Short mmCIF file of all heavy atoms in Angstrom, two decimals:
data_model
loop_
_atom_site.label_atom_id
_atom_site.label_comp_id
_atom_site.label_asym_id
_atom_site.label_seq_id
_atom_site.Cartn_x
_atom_site.Cartn_y
_atom_site.Cartn_z
N LEU A 66 -3.39 10.79 24.26
CA LEU A 66 -2.30 9.96 23.80
C LEU A 66 -1.01 10.81 23.80
O LEU A 66 -1.04 11.93 23.27
CB LEU A 66 -2.54 9.38 22.44
CG LEU A 66 -3.57 8.23 22.34
CD1 LEU A 66 -3.83 7.87 20.89
CD2 LEU A 66 -3.11 7.01 23.12
N SER A 67 0.05 10.29 24.34
CA SER A 67 1.29 11.08 24.39
C SER A 67 2.01 11.06 23.08
O SER A 67 1.83 10.17 22.24
CB SER A 67 2.22 10.51 25.48
OG SER A 67 2.71 9.23 25.08
N THR A 68 2.93 12.00 22.91
CA THR A 68 3.76 12.06 21.71
C THR A 68 4.61 10.77 21.59
O THR A 68 4.70 10.23 20.48
CB THR A 68 4.70 13.29 21.82
OG1 THR A 68 3.90 14.49 21.75
CG2 THR A 68 5.68 13.31 20.63
N GLY A 69 5.14 10.29 22.71
CA GLY A 69 5.97 9.07 22.65
C GLY A 69 5.18 7.87 22.24
O GLY A 69 5.64 7.03 21.45
N THR A 70 3.95 7.73 22.74
CA THR A 70 3.08 6.60 22.35
C THR A 70 2.78 6.61 20.85
O THR A 70 2.85 5.56 20.21
CB THR A 70 1.75 6.67 23.13
OG1 THR A 70 2.03 6.51 24.54
CG2 THR A 70 0.80 5.61 22.70
N LEU A 71 2.51 7.79 20.33
CA LEU A 71 2.23 7.90 18.90
C LEU A 71 3.47 7.62 18.05
O LEU A 71 3.38 6.95 17.01
CB LEU A 71 1.63 9.28 18.60
CG LEU A 71 0.25 9.51 19.21
CD1 LEU A 71 -0.13 11.00 19.15
CD2 LEU A 71 -0.80 8.67 18.46
N MET A 72 4.60 8.09 18.50
CA MET A 72 5.84 7.83 17.75
C MET A 72 6.10 6.32 17.70
O MET A 72 6.45 5.79 16.64
CB MET A 72 7.02 8.58 18.39
CG MET A 72 6.99 10.08 18.25
SD MET A 72 8.37 10.90 19.07
CE MET A 72 9.75 10.39 18.03
N ASP A 73 5.92 5.67 18.85
CA ASP A 73 6.15 4.23 18.87
C ASP A 73 5.18 3.47 17.98
O ASP A 73 5.50 2.47 17.36
CB ASP A 73 5.99 3.71 20.30
CG ASP A 73 7.15 4.16 21.21
OD1 ASP A 73 8.17 4.58 20.69
OD2 ASP A 73 6.95 4.10 22.44
N ALA A 74 3.96 4.00 17.86
CA ALA A 74 2.95 3.34 16.98
C ALA A 74 3.27 3.55 15.53
O ALA A 74 3.12 2.60 14.69
CB ALA A 74 1.58 3.91 17.31
N PHE A 75 3.70 4.74 15.15
CA PHE A 75 3.95 5.03 13.73
C PHE A 75 5.26 4.46 13.23
O PHE A 75 5.41 4.18 12.02
CB PHE A 75 3.98 6.58 13.51
CG PHE A 75 2.72 7.29 13.85
CD1 PHE A 75 2.72 8.63 14.25
CD2 PHE A 75 1.46 6.65 13.81
CE1 PHE A 75 1.58 9.34 14.57
CE2 PHE A 75 0.32 7.34 14.15
CZ PHE A 75 0.37 8.67 14.53
N ARG A 76 6.24 4.33 14.08
CA ARG A 76 7.61 4.00 13.66
C ARG A 76 7.70 2.72 12.82
O ARG A 76 8.42 2.72 11.81
CB ARG A 76 8.53 3.93 14.87
CG ARG A 76 10.00 3.83 14.48
CD ARG A 76 10.93 3.92 15.67
NE ARG A 76 11.11 5.30 16.14
CZ ARG A 76 10.59 5.73 17.29
NH1 ARG A 76 9.90 4.93 18.07
NH2 ARG A 76 10.82 7.00 17.67
N PRO A 77 7.03 1.63 13.16
CA PRO A 77 7.17 0.41 12.34
C PRO A 77 6.73 0.61 10.89
O PRO A 77 7.35 0.06 9.98
CB PRO A 77 6.23 -0.59 13.05
CG PRO A 77 6.24 -0.16 14.47
CD PRO A 77 6.28 1.36 14.42
N ALA A 78 5.68 1.40 10.69
CA ALA A 78 5.23 1.68 9.29
C ALA A 78 6.26 2.49 8.55
O ALA A 78 6.59 2.21 7.38
CB ALA A 78 3.90 2.42 9.27
N LEU A 79 6.85 3.46 9.23
CA LEU A 79 7.90 4.29 8.59
C LEU A 79 9.12 3.47 8.28
O LEU A 79 9.74 3.64 7.22
CB LEU A 79 8.21 5.48 9.50
CG LEU A 79 7.07 6.43 9.83
CD1 LEU A 79 7.46 7.43 10.91
CD2 LEU A 79 6.57 7.16 8.61
N GLU A 80 9.50 2.60 9.20
CA GLU A 80 10.65 1.73 8.97
C GLU A 80 10.42 0.80 7.80
O GLU A 80 11.37 0.39 7.10
CB GLU A 80 10.94 0.92 10.25
CG GLU A 80 11.51 1.74 11.38
CD GLU A 80 11.67 0.96 12.66
OE1 GLU A 80 11.00 -0.11 12.80
OE2 GLU A 80 12.41 1.42 13.56
N ALA A 81 9.16 0.45 7.54
CA ALA A 81 8.79 -0.42 6.41
C ALA A 81 8.69 0.34 5.12
O ALA A 81 8.33 -0.23 4.08
CB ALA A 81 7.50 -1.16 6.72
N GLY A 82 8.96 1.64 5.14
CA GLY A 82 8.94 2.45 3.91
C GLY A 82 7.60 3.07 3.59
O GLY A 82 7.38 3.52 2.46
#
Side-chain angles (χ1 to χ4, degrees):
L66 286 174
S67 70
T68 295
T70 296
L71 292 167
M72 290 178 70
D73 290 343
F75 299 153
R76 190 174 282 109
L79 300 172
E80 289 174 341

